[in-house]
Amino acid sequence: MSSYTSLLKTPGVARIIAAQLTARFPFGMLSLAFLLHIERVHHSYGAAGLVLGAMSIGQAIAGPMTSRLMGVLGMRIVLWTTLILCSAAIATIGIFVLPIPVTMGIAFFAGLSMPPIQPAVRTIYPKMVNSRQLTPLFSLDASAQEIIWIAGPVAITFVATQIGTVEGILMSVAIMLAGGTWFISSPEVGRVRIPRSKRRFGSVLQRPPVLLATVVGFLLIGSCAAIEAGVVANFGDQGPEAGVVLAIWSLGSLVGGLAFGHIPIGPWATARRMFIVFVGVTISMFALATWWGLSLTLIIAGLGIAPALAVLFSIVSASVKFSDTAEAYGWVGTGQLIGAALGSALAGFLIDSHGPIGAFWAASAFALVGFIVPALAHRWHPDLRGRDASPIPDTEPVPVQPS
């Protein structure tokens, strides 16, 4: 814990972590809020899965583009514009009862305009700490973001079930606006300038670590999205059990991130962490009868989630130039969002046809492939033992006057 304490004492680190967590806090609420709202209005988990999938696909398409635009237009211009547009679209879904195709279209636009907070902050981090502190900072960030998934589901489940789903969605919008304003106004956002990338758009995916992180992130978050849908379907939308189970699951991820974040990153690091997730998810399908039994098994799965994400962030950072980091993280985010879209949609249809256990079948399959892929690709996995995770410096030829 001493390494995390020293990190938080570094000027600006605690503030930027708190600001970005607040800005991203609605991400831990919106999936569940839309799931509850659409199911309550249209009486179909499948329809809810389609709406969530549309929003995630929109995010997936826009992620690398808005991230790259931050190097062209500047972070603040891109972040302010997307924050306003996205908030308006989400509020529209909550306020108006619309046909599913129309709701999907608005959700798709909300995804397209989702503020690229995550790529922005992970591009800023290498400029705030020394190279030795960067990997622990990624671990701290991956662990701290679990606060979003601990408090978010509990808060939205309480508001949606006890007050109303419309109020839950509008609460998410209010937090998004407040947190986004705080983050965008932070000095670090104005101080760090992302150089224009000289590579063509998408070429960063030719780097094996970036492609590996994108694929594994897709599988990991696909598993998580399926679990979330399965937990909600298992306990219904009339009480707090679903929110409590999801919060305990995220607590397990938080503990895992803080406990294992200091372990050196070797070629098998991602595979080991994904195996923990697979084991936990698989045994969870046998514990659906009680909220406490499901919570205990999901804690096991959670122990691997934040550590796996921290490894993915680190291998990307260590493999690209600084000018390419925002786009690289945008592609990783795209992989995760496509996983969320497919995981939610597949789980929704399996729930409608087979009950809640269908969602856990999907989650287990995602996690299994998520273990197999990095195991087979361990030769292309960076070995960061004894190395730092700083991006490769951008260098240019320096003109020299002839003597």
Side-chain angles (χ1 to χ4, degrees):
M1 294 299 295
S2 60
S3 61
Y4 299 129
T5 302
S6 64
L7 268 175
L8 293 174
K9 290 179 180 178
T10 303
V13 169
R15 181 181 64 250
I16 202 72
I17 289 178
Q20 63 98 4
L21 284 177
T22 306
R24 292 168 54 209
F25 191 79
F27 298 173
M29 306 169 69
L30 283 175
S31 294
L32 200 51
F34 282 165
L35 195 68
L36 293 169
H37 181 69
I38 300 301
E39 194 281 330
R40 181 167 291 183
V41 173
H42 295 279
H43 312 291
S44 171
Y45 283 107
L50 289 174
V51 172
L52 290 174
M55 184 173 70
S56 296
I57 291 172
Q59 285 181 268
I61 293 172
M65 297 180 183
T66 53
S67 298
R68 190 178 177 98
L69 275 177
M70 289 192 292
V72 177
L73 303 175
M75 278 195 278
R76 279 183 168 157
I77 292 176
V78 173
L79 290 169
W80 276 124
T81 303
T82 53
L83 176 66
I84 293 168
L85 293 175
C86 183
S87 299
I90 292 172
T92 300
I93 294 175
I95 294 172
F96 300 101
V97 177
L98 301 166
I100 287 299
V102 176
T103 305
M104 288 175 63
I106 298 172
F108 178 73
F109 178 78
L112 282 176
S113 57
M114 193 70 71
I117 302 292
Q118 194 172 67
V121 74
R122 290 187 179 128
T123 301
I124 292 170
Y125 281 158
K127 299 298 182 181
M128 297 184 66
V129 298
N130 60 48
S131 58
R132 179 180 54 83
Q133 293 177 305
L134 190 54
T135 295
L137 179 55
F138 282 131
S139 295
L140 179 61
D141 178 87
S143 302
Q145 75 176 3
E146 292 305 322
I147 296 173
I148 297 171
W149 309 106
I150 293 171
V154 174
I156 197 63
T157 301
F158 176 81
V159 173
T161 58
Q162 304 303 315
I163 302 176
T165 55
V166 174
E167 289 80 359
I169 291 174
L170 294 180
M171 180 180 70
S172 301
V173 171
I175 296 173
M176 175 181 288
L177 287 170
T181 300
W182 183 16
F183 176 74
I184 299 169
S185 302
S186 299
E188 292 78 12
V189 176
R191 190 179 303 138
V192 175
R193 180 184 173 277
I194 304 173
R196 284 176 179 257
S197 176
K198 295 178 175 60
R199 295 172 174 268
R200 71 180 186 277
F201 181 70
S203 63
V204 71
L205 284 173
Q206 294 175 356
R207 293 188 173 271
V210 177
L211 183 59
L212 178 62
T214 301
V215 172
V216 175
F218 155 77
L219 295 164
L220 174 59
I221 302 304
S223 178
C224 292
I227 290 173
E228 184 175 274
V231 170
V232 172
N234 191 53
F235 295 104
D237 59 0
Q238 302 302 316
E241 290 88 353
V244 172
V245 171
L246 293 173
I248 294 173
W249 174 37
S250 297
L251 182 62
S253 181
L254 172 62
V255 171
L258 294 176
F260 305 138
H262 66 285
I263 297 176
I265 297 173
W268 290 91
T270 301
R272 290 192 184 102
R273 288 155 176 78
M274 286 302 301
F275 183 73
I276 295 173
V277 176
F278 166 66
V279 171
V281 173
T282 301
I283 63 176
S284 293
M285 67 178 68
F286 301 103
L288 300 181
T290 62
W291 70 267
W292 55 267
L294 185 57
S295 297
L296 289 175
T297 54
L298 284 180
I299 284 178
I300 298 173
L303 288 174
I305 294 174
L309 289 171
V311 171
L312 299 183
F313 302 150
S314 295
I315 65 174
V316 169
S317 177
S319 304
V320 299
K321 290 185 176 181
F322 179 68
S323 58
D324 292 323
T325 51
E327 184 188 340
Y329 284 123
W331 283 110
V332 173
T334 288
Q336 295 177 3
L337 291 163
I338 293 174
L342 292 180
S344 296
L346 180 59
F349 286 112
L350 287 174
I351 289 168
D352 285 344
S353 58
H354 297 284
I357 196 169
F360 286 86
W361 293 343
S364 181
F366 272 107
L368 176 60
V369 181
F371 158 68
I372 293 172
V373 168
L376 294 177
H378 71 276
R379 293 182 180 179
W380 295 278
H381 191 292
D383 188 348
L384 300 183
R385 292 173 294 186
R387 289 179 50 198
D388 64 70
S390 299
I392 302 168
D394 287 275
T395 56
E396 296 180 352
V398 178
V400 178
Q401 294 290 338
S403 55

